[in-house]
Amino acid sequence: MPLNRRTLQTAAVLALAGGLLAQPAFAQDKPKVALVMKSLANEFFRTMEDGAKAHQKAHAGEYTLLANGIKNETDTAAQIKMIEQAVAQKVSAIVLAPADSKALVPAVKAAVDKGILVVNIDNRLDTDALKEKSLNVPFVGPDNRAGAKLVGDYLAKQLKAGEKVGIIEGVSTTFNAQQRTLGFQDAMKAANITVVGVQSGQWEIEKGNTVAAGMLREHPDLVALLAGNDSMALGAVAAVKAAGKTGKVQVVGYDNINAIKPMLADGRVLATADQYAAKQAVFGIEMALKALAAKTPQAQLPAEVKTEVVLVTKGSGK
């Protein structure tokens, strides 16, 4: 009898162990997606991360998420290390918002060569740099030039032909910074408004403030500042106030972060663009998951998937 009991206990333990062993094997089959973002000091990317985490929580059985971002907008070396770390962790896919459109391409190539699927969001990787490496990396995101033109056109309606404005650009080596500047310039050119200069505020509040203050000093007749993102617009608003020109110099931005909303309401910021930060990473993650499920190779992924960008003003209800 004791022998039988022991035999039964052993069988039960083995059955339980078998069940437990089966679970990690199943979990290993679940794709691991790394989300590598730009600066988490920027509210836009914190919102992006929150959106991605909420999506993963709602789809916890489908994939695991590793989310990471750099400390400041220009720390490309740290971002390259994050990609290398994701490769070492044997992720199935990387969804990347690159801090630099060219500098990240070799790291992306190394990841793709290891069989990792890469999807590009927010800031487009440089087309020529990708071509050089014979790489196809899909860009999932908005048309930044069109979005900036929407903002610029709205501002132009409040200005007169021949008046002077300044553009505060993001990190100048990034595709989205260049495209937003072009969009602003398109709008100003169409309205015959003079752009006195384009200077980089590196996407950051403090640097945006420094550039705005310099432009206001250099051009006392400036009537508006067009900032490539809302962080720099916050810096520009502070510079306008410090110069005693609130209400005389208009400020526009791009991103529709929460910090800008009270300023839209009271007129310190005239307009911004919403490109749905919380959904940006989700669009990229969903594309990666679909490609993994269908076993679609990197080379056969679509080159581009356009997402929405809309104008946001005091009266737009956004």
Side-chain angles (χ1 to χ4, degrees):
M1 193 71 168
L3 184 65
N4 286 346
R5 191 178 293 125
R6 198 176 294 123
T7 307
L8 286 168
Q9 283 173 338
T10 306
V13 168
L14 286 170
L16 180 63
L20 288 170
L21 285 169
Q23 283 173 333
F26 173 75
Q28 279 169 3
D29 292 338
K30 202 160 58 167
K32 199 189 286 184
V33 179
L35 172 63
V36 180
M37 292 164 288
K38 292 199 274 183
S39 174
L40 294 177
N42 182 340
E43 190 191 312
F44 179 82
F45 292 102
R46 289 200 307 276
T47 305
M48 180 185 280
E49 183 180 30
D50 291 344
K53 284 181 174 174
H55 182 269
Q56 191 279 329
K57 198 175 174 186
H59 299 83
E62 293 169 37
Y63 74 104
T64 54
L65 178 71
L66 305 170
N68 216 340
I70 51 180
K71 284 182 183 166
N72 67 63
E73 296 282 4
T74 54
D75 198 352
T76 52
Q79 207 178 40
I80 288 165
K81 276 183 190 153
M82 284 172 191
I83 293 173
E84 289 167 350
Q85 194 178 12
V87 171
Q89 289 170 313
K90 294 184 163 52
V91 298
S92 315
I94 296 170
V95 176
L96 170 68
D100 187 289
S101 295
K102 288 183 182 175
L104 272 293
V105 172
V108 168
K109 167 77 171 152
V112 170
D113 286 348
K114 288 265 167 71
I116 295 165
L117 205 77
V118 180
V119 176
N120 176 200
I121 59 168
D122 177 62
N123 173 42
R124 194 172 197 144
L125 289 164
D126 185 80
T127 312
D128 292 336
L130 289 172
K131 238 179 238 170
E132 252 177 61
K133 303 271 183 194
S134 303
L135 264 181
N136 170 54
V137 180
F139 175 69
V140 181
D143 184 329
N144 283 272
R145 187 169 184 167
K149 189 174 184 300
L150 284 175
V151 175
D153 286 343
Y154 186 79
L155 169 67
K157 286 174 191 167
Q158 331 294 319
L159 307 179
K160 297 187 189 96
E163 287 189 312
K164 293 176 184 175
V165 303
I167 294 173
I168 308 170
E169 186 171 69
V171 174
S172 301
T173 54
T174 58
F175 182 79
N176 58 347
Q178 294 160 7
Q179 289 294 298
R180 290 176 198 178
T181 294
L182 287 169
F184 287 152
Q185 287 171 329
D186 292 342
M188 296 305 101
K189 190 178 177 185
N192 199 23
I193 290 158
T194 306
V195 176
V196 296
V198 177
Q199 286 181 50
S200 175
Q202 298 193 348
W203 299 127
E204 293 174 5
I205 297 173
E206 237 174 89
K207 293 188 173 90
N209 176 263
T210 303
V211 169
M215 282 185 172
L216 290 167
R217 273 195 308 274
E218 203 180 326
H219 305 279
D221 52 350
L222 208 67
V223 294
L225 290 161
L226 296 89
N229 77 348
D230 285 344
S231 293
M232 297 186 299
L234 293 174
V237 166
V240 168
K241 186 183 177 185
K245 293 189 172 182
T246 302
K248 292 173 189 168
V249 176
Q250 303 277 9
V251 175
V252 296
Y254 194 109
D255 278 343
N256 197 31
I257 62 173
N258 285 328
I260 217 79
K261 289 172 185 180
M263 298 187 179
L264 282 166
D266 66 18
R268 282 175 291 167
V269 172
L270 183 70
T272 186
D274 195 336
Q275 57 171 350
Y276 304 102
K279 292 182 189 172
Q280 283 261 317
V282 171
F283 292 142
I285 289 165
E286 285 180 341
M287 178 187 230
L289 291 174
K290 277 177 197 162
L292 289 167
K295 294 187 166 52
T296 309
Q298 183 82 34
Q300 285 173 29
L301 292 172
E304 188 174 5
V305 176
K306 283 261 171 71
T307 60
E308 199 181 4
V309 58
V310 296
L311 175 72
V312 182
T313 63
K314 182 180 179 177
S316 66
K318 286 244 170 228

